[in-house]
Amino acid sequence: MTPETLIPGQTSLAQLERIYRAEAASTLHSSARAGVEAAAAQIAAAAAGTIAVYGVNTGFGKLASLKIAPQDTATLQKNLILSHCCGVGEAMPRAVARLMMTLKLLSLGRGASGVRWDIIALIEAMLARGVTPVIPAQGSVGASGDLAPLAHMTAAMIGHGEADYNGEILPGAEALAKAGLTPVTLGPKEGLALINGTQFSTAYALAGLFDGWRCAQSALVTSALSTDAIMGSTAPLHPEIHALRGHAGQIEAAAFMRSLLDGSVIRESHRIGDTRVQDPYCIRCQPQVTGAAMDVLRQAARTLEIEANAATDNPLVLTSDGSIVSGGNFHAEPVGFAADMIALALSEIGAIAQRRVALMVDPVLSFDLPAFLTPKPGLNSGLMIAEVTTAALMSENKHLAHPTVTDSTPTSANQEDHVSMAAHGARRLGRMVANLQVILGVEAICAAQGVDFRAPLATSAPLQGVVKRLRQDVATLGDDRYMAPDLAAAAKLIGNGALASATALELPALA
């Protein structure tokens, strides 16, 4: 696979998603090299001088007032990395870790970090040759950089720690050697540049965003199928209703649902003589809820695209005036806010989807569908407990959606006295997405079962394609059977986008 060539400051979400999905290698555009080398020269000059420059010839954090002798600067950087390798818990998923490495390339490539091009070349080579540091996922508070996880990344680069080499976990030095690579000796500020920054938090937030957007696309599809299953009205999708409110996501969601339901014989069969006046909110207000979630996800996407292209270490090398300035770009507050926004959107998409599942299994509300969508209620329980599972996952996601960015605690002897908690705020998104995929997968199973019960009336052509794709992996439910594999298969179709793609329609785009 050809590596993705990235221009620091101009890399798009689409490029980053391709890298995430395919675990693709990435390289910086050659135009970045001059700026990187100019900043490195400035750091080298500062390291040779007598003036104290934070992170170059001083200690770190609360120890910044301590001056380090020139002959000890290499040891200083190595000690920084080893002492900061304090991560715990399960390792980052490889795709997310590789995305994090790509984000670090982009940050260093802005030419404000002061690292040599050798550092960038090693990260590029590790990505190209399948060397991925093993990075414990817990330990960052999302300020002063994602210090512990980025230290584990850097440890592998200097021949310490562990790395995944083509699926095998090896000591860092051995993994590099097998890939034909040599550990780097860190120069002045290079260790600090590598561990300062928000790339861990941002990588997890982007993964949650990309996978969450697939859920939003799928939710529009499953909700349209549910609408036909309970013989719901399409009147609430009338374009003028949504134009009068004006929210872009709502307008787009309604338009896409209209295209999904266009041509449904089921819908046409009850336009006249249907005694129901209005559907429940989970049917009637789908554009208002899922469309609003789409708007929130897009707002978060804009923040994360900026952050992915940002220089976020400290101090920053300003080659325009020759200064090296301490600031606070490592503080991940923007990422924390974005992660909380994504969490709220995921929770609400799941909340309204779960109510549609509950609607379809309830014979009082489902407009003549059999109880729990089984042809023989009583003898069979049908989808009774599948609905209970969605309720459990919906409730779990509600708890997980509680904001994390509002929490803070002082660290590092009160030097770092306000932190973003963006790291676990972003990391929880993976669990929320997994829960949501199951909720939407169960909705697809229920809705397809409901549509089957409407035969010989048929749903629309796009939704027939969805049912057909589902049936390749999940058979129509007759007598009760072992259900766990069906739920897993349906969730997978949500996660890989196969169910939404089966509509053969152009799906709403994230950006």
Side-chain angles (χ1 to χ4, degrees), residues 22-274:
E23 297 189 19
S26 53
T27 60
L28 295 188
H29 192 275
S30 59
S31 61
R33 185 160 187 162
V36 169
E37 292 184 337
Q42 195 169 317
I43 287 293
T50 57
I51 299 174
V53 179
Y54 175 69
V56 177
N57 51 15
T58 71
F60 306 102
K62 198 73 171 180
L63 305 176
S65 60
L66 300 178
K67 187 83 181 318
I68 306 299
Q71 64 269 24
D72 292 329
T73 54
T75 302
L76 173 71
Q77 298 299 314
K78 179 181 177 181
N79 287 348
L80 172 70
I81 301 308
L82 298 180
S83 68
H84 282 53
C85 285
C86 293
V88 298
E90 294 182 357
M92 292 178 76
R94 189 170 64 184
V96 182
R98 288 176 62 86
L99 179 59
M100 182 186 79
M101 294 168 72
T102 294
L103 296 177
K104 180 54 75 174
L105 282 178
L106 288 174
S107 182
L108 299 178
R110 291 299 298 271
S113 298
V115 303
R116 295 163 296 156
W117 190 259
D118 290 351
I119 300 295
I120 288 169
L122 179 57
I123 297 174
E124 291 176 338
M126 290 170 71
L127 289 169
R129 301 186 193 186
V131 180
T132 306
V134 174
I135 301 167
Q138 292 174 274
S140 173
V141 295
S144 200
D146 291 315
L147 296 172
L150 288 170
H152 283 275
M153 178 196 77
T154 309
M157 296 173 62
I158 64 174
H160 291 264
E162 292 183 319
D164 176 327
Y165 177 62
N166 293 334
E168 184 181 5
I169 305 301
L170 300 168
E174 186 178 345
L176 290 174
K178 283 199 170 187
L181 301 173
T182 303
V184 68
T185 299
L186 298 173
K189 192 188 174 291
E190 288 180 339
L192 188 61
L194 285 163
I195 70 170
N196 252 198
T198 66
Q199 289 76 39
F200 173 89
S201 299
T202 306
Y204 265 109
L206 284 170
L209 174 70
F210 297 147
D211 293 337
W213 186 259
R214 276 193 176 172
C215 286
Q217 292 173 326
S218 297
L220 294 174
V221 174
T222 57
S223 65
L225 194 61
S226 296
T227 299
D228 243 10
I230 62 102
M231 297 185 116
S233 174
T234 55
L237 302 178
H238 193 291
E240 193 168 350
I241 292 175
H242 307 286
L244 283 166
R245 196 172 199 186
H247 292 296
Q250 178 181 329
I251 292 168
E252 186 175 8
F256 188 62
M257 290 185 68
R258 287 196 303 273
S259 65
L260 286 167
L261 287 158
D262 185 42
S264 169
V265 178
I266 294 174
R267 173 62 188 118
E268 296 305 318
S269 71
H270 62 97
R271 284 190 184 274
I272 299 173
D274 192 332

Side-chain angles (χ1 to χ4, degrees), residues 419-490:
V419 298
S420 72
M421 298 300 180
H424 67 267
R427 186 165 49 83
R428 55 131 178 218
L429 298 177
R431 182 174 163 192
M432 293 187 71
V433 164
N435 289 344
L436 181 53
Q437 288 168 352
V438 175
I439 294 170
L440 296 173
V442 171
E443 182 182 13
I445 292 172
C446 291
Q449 189 84 354
V451 165
D452 286 348
F453 280 120
R454 301 300 182 188
L457 300 177
T459 189
S460 66
L463 294 178
Q464 286 180 49
V466 171
V467 174
K468 181 179 179 181
R469 179 63 189 88
L470 178 69
R471 291 291 173 244
Q472 292 177 23
D473 295 342
V474 181
T476 301
L477 183 63
D479 291 333
D480 283 349
R481 63 176 184 252
Y482 186 61
M483 290 298 297
D486 291 337
L487 270 61

Side-chain angles (χ1 to χ4, degrees), residues 11-13 16 99 103 106 198-210 296-310 312 332-343 422 426 429 510:
T11 296
S12 69
L13 289 177
L16 295 172
L99 179 59
L103 296 177
L106 288 174
T198 66
Q199 289 76 39
F200 173 89
S201 299
T202 306
Y204 265 109
L206 284 170
L209 174 70
F210 297 147
V296 168
L297 290 173
R298 283 170 171 154
Q299 290 174 37
R302 286 192 287 273
T303 295
L304 294 177
E305 186 172 47
I306 292 169
E307 189 71 12
N309 284 280
T312 56
E333 195 82 356
V335 183
F337 277 122
D340 283 346
M341 292 165 66
I342 295 167
L429 298 177
L510 176 60

